[in-house]
Amino acid sequence: MKATVRALAFVLWCLTLLHASPPAHAQPCTSGWVPATGAPGVDGDLDAVLLWDPDGDGPAPDVLIASGEFRTAGSAAAQGLAVWDGGAWSTPFGAVDGRLAAAVRFGGRLVVGGAFTTIGGVPARNLAQWDGTRWLPLGDGTNGPINALAVFNDNLVVGGAFTIAGNLPDTSRVARWDGSAWHPLAGGMSGGQVASLATFQGHLYAAGSFSSAGGQPARLIARWNGATWSRLGDGIDTGVSIQSLTPFQGRLVAAGLFSASGAISLGNIAAWDGNTWTPFASGLPNGVAAVTIHDDQLFALAPSTGQSPHVFRWNGASWPLALSDDPHLRFDPLRTLASFRGSLILAGSGVSVPGSIYGGTRPAIAAYDQTGWRVLGNGLNARVRAFAEFRGEIIVAGDFSIGGTRASNLIARWTRDALLPLGPGLGRPAQNNRVNALAVFNDELIAAGSFSFAGAAPATGIAAWDGSTWRPLGDPFGPSPEINALLVHDGRLFAGGSGFPGNILQWNGSTWNALDSGVDGPVLALASSPAGLLVGGSFSNAGGLASRAAARWTGTAWIPMGIDASAANLAAFTEFRGRLYAAANCTCDTPPHLLEWTGSRWSVALSLTAVRLNALASFGHELILGGSLYWQGALHSILRWDGATLRPLALGTDLDVWALYPAKGRLLVGGDFKSAGGRTSYSWASWACQEPPACYPNCDSSSAPLLSAADFLCFQAAFVAGEGYANCDQSTAPPVLDIRDYLCFLNAFARGCP
């Protein structure tokens, strides 16, 4: 915080020197972070999804408002509130400090209710209205949560757990707003709260957990005729609550946890025709959490026999499972249903999309239509461990089960601006699945790791993709191998790992063969050199010869290249400026090292303050290090070294880096992170040459407002990180970055954007 204050103070001082600052020039292409894909949906739980038609009866389609506990929606930073327009997430409504539960159009505006004290930075007690550009409080709101909204007789009716609306007494659990003032509805409810409101046959209906309405007995549900409350028929005799009211085919459907009205058994879901209750067959025995109408059919969210929530569909006679096309479908838990643009929307804490292997975080929201399941987003839901180029496309692999909008088990391809699956992918549910390594051999993509199926075929940790189908690549590895590294060397494919004899094998296109007796511990890294195959890992012997953590295979024999006892394993190799470097880690107290091979032994090039060094790559004129690292007392996941100086790769990533892969003039970076360069980027990103913003001082590339204090902070971060963007005056003489760049930036900021 102090650093930020100092930076802003410096900026204000510099403003007095604008007359002396040189003009800003067009900037050349500079290297920087390029985000890849955002979150697959939102990165937390959803409490509600609400439909909103921005132009009422106009041509614009509905949008979906999502509310919950999340900080990212797709690639957009969010604080509990976001909008899905059918193709992308955005956050036009700002942040909410609680949750939304209901939305309705009233007076031509969007009105939302829930449990919050501020929305879009505006104080509002549980109720607010959107005027098209900003939020406004609606009256004084309520003193407790709002669960439901409805428009009745041109008034807004609110229901919930409050006891006072505005400052008006006798507004317990329900009240109406006429556009300027609050009014009671015959004293409201007692004994519980209102969970749902609906209009039906010219009356207002309220349902929830209350026991009386307007001072009269009315258990769980009551009807308002504009002057008084009344119960429905014989009332509800037994039950806990009615959670939803939904008009359907000329009747009002009530759903929740209730069992009977007089002699009529209701089974937790029933229809009211204005005079009598009618059950839906025997109902749903474990209760109903939510109901929606989709494709003119009634869908209900309810626990199944095993108490795991499922979606059921009323077929006119019974309640079959509506989404039973995959035996592994499950929800964790599911809270709400909605029908949106031809798709059934399911939202809550997690949806295991059919076809996925449960790897990674389950998306909190998913959609189902005639084409199958999809996620509302275009991201990955778990770690990226490996990259490859195959037939002109980038291949991404790791621990994920979602890639793009569909199930993409452990592996996906990047084409233009979307991630797409490679058939059914790899692995099986409830197994320890991951892809650790990729290679291209004989015009096939080879994937290896820990999995037992490739598509529908059994496979022991390695499989080949020919562009349309998966096939296992032999079976020499035993029942549960872990393959960590792949490399094509001297016309053969080499696979190294653990859990199989010798821990390293070679494939000649038809059979697997051993490399003598192999090594006596896990293989973690492979690299090619003119002198042979380089093998790194956590072993003590190679071919029976002592050789700690590193050895070379000549094609016929093993040559020791062992390191000393200060490192337990080698995790990666790379060549930099004609020399061989390796990432050395230890489970002991010794920190990771960057080792250099002198031709006869390993020497320490860098002794790192780090947790783990996972990956190395030579890119541009620098050596890139990825892992969980420290630099100048701060945790970094990626650093760069020019042979003399170690420094961050700009703002880096927020969590560990596990993979580095130069491709097509850029460096692909994979790991566990959720941001790169301070921008949302789930599990992968790239470091590449970028054109500067169309308007140079718009450092953060924001759209509204175009220029703000955030641009000063963005420039400050670029300056501290030594990024080319900060060289505003395009100087080449040292020091390249100095006060003149600040003055140049301020001059550009003062001129503004066209």
Side-chain angles (χ1 to χ4, degrees):
M1 181 64 186
K2 291 181 179 179
T4 299
V5 172
R6 287 196 297 269
L8 290 175
F10 180 72
V11 166
L12 292 173
W13 173 76
C14 288
L15 284 170
T16 65
L17 304 177
L18 281 176
H19 67 279
S21 60
H25 301 289
Q27 298 298 300
C29 176
T30 59
S31 291
W33 284 102
V34 181
T37 52
V42 300
D43 67 345
D45 292 354
L46 285 179
D47 296 315
V49 290
L50 312 170
L51 295 180
W52 164 241
D53 187 346
D55 65 347
D57 296 330
D62 289 353
V63 298
L64 201 64
I65 301 173
S67 171
E69 297 180 12
F70 56 89
R71 291 295 176 265
T72 302
S75 296
Q79 292 188 41
L81 186 59
V83 171
W84 174 255
D85 65 5
W89 289 97
S90 62
T91 54
F93 295 143
V96 63
D97 67 350
R99 64 174 179 84
L100 302 187
V104 72
R105 175 178 287 275
F106 176 69
R109 294 181 174 183
L110 169 66
V111 176
V112 297
F116 54 86
T117 58
T118 63
I119 184 169
V122 176
R125 289 202 310 167
N126 307 307
L127 189 65
Q129 57 182 326
W130 176 255
D131 71 356
T133 59
R134 58 178 179 163
W135 288 104
L136 299 170
L138 201 150
D140 293 327
T142 62
N143 69 341
I146 291 173
N147 300 323
L149 299 171
V151 176
F152 179 69
N153 289 344
D154 296 326
N155 282 207
L156 175 70
V157 181
V158 302
F162 54 87
T163 56
I164 296 176
N167 295 310
L168 190 67
D170 298 326
T171 51
S172 176
R173 290 6 182 207
V174 65
R176 67 179 177 90
W177 171 260
D178 66 6
S180 59
W182 287 103
H183 302 276
L185 272 70
M189 277 69 171
S190 62
Q193 60 182 278
V194 170
S196 184
L197 295 168
T199 57
F200 177 67
Q201 293 180 346
H203 294 87
L204 174 71
Y205 288 77
S209 57
F210 53 84
S211 57
S212 67
Q216 303 299 316
R219 185 175 176 83
L220 308 189
I221 189 168
R223 177 173 56 195
W224 173 255
N225 63 9
T228 59
W229 289 103
S230 62
R231 70 178 186 176
L232 276 61
D234 293 331
I236 303 297
D237 298 325
T238 56
V240 176
S241 68
I242 293 177
Q243 292 297 112
S244 69
L245 295 172
T246 307
F248 175 63
Q249 295 182 349
R251 299 184 296 175
L252 183 65
V253 177
L257 192 61
F258 58 96
S259 58
S261 174
I264 304 172
S265 178
L266 301 180
N268 302 309
I269 185 165
W272 173 256
D273 64 5
N275 296 297
T276 59
W277 287 105
T278 303
F280 287 89
S282 58
L284 291 163
N286 298 309
V288 178
V291 166
T292 195
I293 310 302
H294 176 65
D295 284 344
D296 296 322
Q297 298 181 84
L298 181 65
F299 289 79
L301 168 64
S304 64
T305 304
Q307 299 301 307
S308 176
H310 275 289
V311 179
F312 298 85
R313 178 180 58 84
W314 175 247
N315 65 8
S318 62
W319 290 100
L321 281 170
L323 310 172
S324 57
D325 59 332
D326 190 295
H328 302 294
L329 175 64
R330 65 183 186 187
F331 310 107
D332 220 14
L334 192 61
R335 295 191 179 94
T336 188
L337 297 174
S339 181
F340 176 70
R341 299 192 191 179
S343 296
L344 183 65
I345 305 296
L346 299 85
S349 292
V351 181
S352 289
V353 174
S356 69
I357 59 173
Y358 305 164
T361 303
R362 297 186 185 96
I365 186 167
Y368 180 81
D369 60 21
Q370 294 179 348
T371 66
W373 286 92
R374 71 182 188 280
V375 175
L376 274 60
N378 185 32
L380 299 170
N381 66 334
R383 177 185 297 172
V384 168
R385 295 176 181 266
F387 297 100
E389 290 180 83
F390 180 64
R391 298 182 183 177
E393 295 179 330
I394 297 296
I395 307 299
V396 184
D399 300 7
F400 52 86
S401 59
I402 300 296
T405 63
R406 306 283 180 177
S408 297
N409 295 318
L410 308 185
I411 191 164
R413 60 190 178 96
W414 177 253
T415 174
R416 295 184 181 177
D417 296 318
L419 285 165
L420 299 173
L422 273 68
L426 303 163
R428 275 293 182 267
Q431 295 179 350
N432 188 19
N433 299 286
R434 58 182 167 269
V435 170
N436 297 320
L438 297 170
V440 177
F441 182 70
N442 287 348
D443 197 36
E444 289 187 306
L445 175 69
I446 312 300
S450 176
F451 51 85
S452 58
F453 275 82
T460 53
I462 191 165
W465 170 258
D466 64 6
S468 59
T469 58
W470 286 102
R471 67 180 179 89
L473 200 66
D475 189 18
F477 294 96
S480 55
E482 176 88 20
I483 301 175
N484 300 312
L486 293 173
L487 183 73
V488 176
H489 171 75
D490 197 23
R492 296 179 180 231
L493 174 68
F494 291 82
S498 62
F500 53 94
N503 299 308
I504 185 166
L505 295 171
Q506 58 181 328
W507 173 257
N508 61 14
S510 58
T511 59
W512 287 100
N513 298 290
L515 279 64
D516 194 7
S517 60
V519 298
D520 65 349
V523 171
L524 302 175
L526 298 172
S528 185
S529 79
L533 175 72
L534 305 178
V535 180
S538 182
F539 51 83
S540 301
N541 293 276
L545 302 173
S547 190
R548 178 184 291 273
R552 175 166 53 90
W553 172 253
T554 66
T556 58
W558 286 99
I559 306 297
M561 293 179 65
I563 60 178
D564 63 34
S566 66
N569 65 67
L570 291 186
F573 293 111
T574 196
E575 183 181 341
F576 176 58
R577 295 182 179 174
R579 297 185 178 185
L580 176 66
Y581 289 85
N585 295 289
C586 185
T587 55
C588 55
D589 294 333
T590 303
H593 297 321
L594 178 68
L595 300 182
E596 178 186 344
W597 179 250
T598 65
S600 59
R601 64 182 181 86
W602 293 101
S603 65
V604 176
L606 286 173
S607 183
L608 301 167
T609 303
V611 177
R612 182 176 175 83
L613 182 55
N614 298 322
L616 300 173
S618 179
F619 185 73
H621 301 291
E622 296 176 310
L623 178 61
I624 311 300
L625 300 81
S628 182
L629 315 169
Y630 284 90
W631 180 77
Q632 294 188 352
L635 183 64
H636 290 263
S637 298
I638 188 165
L639 298 172
R640 55 185 175 181
W641 185 59
D642 61 7
T645 303
L646 187 69
R647 58 194 178 113
L649 196 65
L651 297 180
T653 62
D654 64 336
L655 287 173
D656 294 0
V657 167
W658 285 86
L660 298 169
Y661 185 83
K664 298 183 177 181
R666 55 182 171 164
L667 179 67
L668 298 176
V669 181
D672 295 319
F673 52 84
K674 295 184 178 180
S675 71
R679 298 166 64 188
T680 299
S681 193
Y682 265 55
S683 303
W684 71 300
S686 61
W687 176 260
C689 186
Q690 295 177 286
E691 293 295 332
C695 174
Y696 175 71
N698 185 19
C699 178
D700 63 357
S701 300
S702 61
S703 56
L706 200 63
L707 299 181
S708 69
D711 294 299
F712 286 108
L713 300 179
C714 175
F715 179 83
Q716 168 77 3
F719 187 95
V720 170
E723 292 185 30
Y725 170 83
N727 185 20
C728 179
D729 64 0
Q730 300 185 57
S731 61
T732 57
V736 173
L737 300 183
D738 58 19
I739 189 173
R740 290 171 295 182
D741 294 298
Y742 269 98
L743 301 177
C744 173
F745 177 81
L746 290 166
N747 186 48
F749 189 94
R751 289 202 310 270
C753 293

